[in-house]
Amino acid sequence: MKNKFILLLLFIFVTMGLGACQKPIPEETYLPTSVEIVNLEDANEMTLGDNPLELMALVYPSGAKQAVTWSSSNPEVATVEDGFVSALSVGTTTIEVEVVEDSTLTSSLLITVYDDASDLETITGIINT
C-alpha cells in the first residue's frame, strides 16, 4: 500500500513538473487570415496639394504579425509610404496593402486625384443632382 502511495505521489509530481515546463504560445505565432485597409479620413478622393491621406492596415487576428507593405498601381499619380498617400498628378491609382507573412492576403482602395478642389466640387455636384 505504501509503495502505491509513493508511486502515485511520484506520478503527480512528474506530471505537474512536465506541465510547468510547457510554454504558452506567444501571440506573434498566430497566422494572419485577412487584412483590411482602414481609411482614417473616410475619403478616396484627393486634390493636388492636399496633405497626405492617412490609411491604416489591420491584420487579423490581432495576435498575428502586423507587418505589411504598401504599393501604388500608378506611382505617377500618387505614392504611398507607411500608409500615407501623397497626390502627385491628376488621375487614379489603386493603393494596395499586402501582409508580409502571407502575400496572398491583400486589400486595396481606389484613389482619384483631381487638379483642384473646384474640380472635385463640380464632379460631386453632378453626381448629387
Side-chain angles (χ1 to χ4, degrees), residues 45-61:
E45 298 170 330
M46 302 177 71
T47 58
L48 293 174
D50 280 352
N51 288 329
L53 178 67
E54 186 177 0
L55 305 176
M56 187 171 73
L58 296 178
V59 179
Y60 300 101

Side-chain angles (χ1 to χ4, degrees), residues 27 30-38 56-68 99 101-102 105-107:
E27 287 187 16
Y30 294 125
L31 295 176
T33 57
S34 65
V35 63
E36 173 186 5
I37 292 179
V38 176
M56 187 171 73
L58 296 178
V59 179
Y60 300 101
S62 61
K65 291 183 181 177
Q66 299 292 307
V68 296
V99 177
E101 186 97 354
D102 182 349
L105 300 176
T106 63
S107 185

Side-chain angles (χ1 to χ4, degrees), residues 34-127:
S34 65
V35 63
E36 173 186 5
I37 292 179
V38 176
N39 188 338
L40 298 177
E41 297 171 36
D42 198 30
N44 60 347
E45 298 170 330
M46 302 177 71
T47 58
L48 293 174
D50 280 352
N51 288 329
L53 178 67
E54 186 177 0
L55 305 176
M56 187 171 73
L58 296 178
V59 179
Y60 300 101
S62 61
K65 291 183 181 177
Q66 299 292 307
V68 296
T69 56
W70 294 90
S71 63
S72 171
S73 67
N74 194 349
E76 293 80 30
V77 171
T79 58
V80 60
E81 185 174 331
D82 296 326
F84 289 91
V85 180
S86 298
L88 302 178
S89 65
V90 174
T92 59
T93 186
T94 300
I95 302 299
E96 184 175 85
V97 65
E98 177 182 293
V99 177
V100 171
E101 186 97 354
D102 182 349
S103 62
T104 65
L105 300 176
T106 63
S107 185
S108 61
L109 177 68
L110 182 66
I111 299 288
T112 303
V113 178
Y114 296 99
D115 190 22
D116 60 33
S118 63
D119 289 346
L120 182 56
E121 290 169 9
T122 301
I123 291 170
T124 304
I126 293 170
I127 292 171

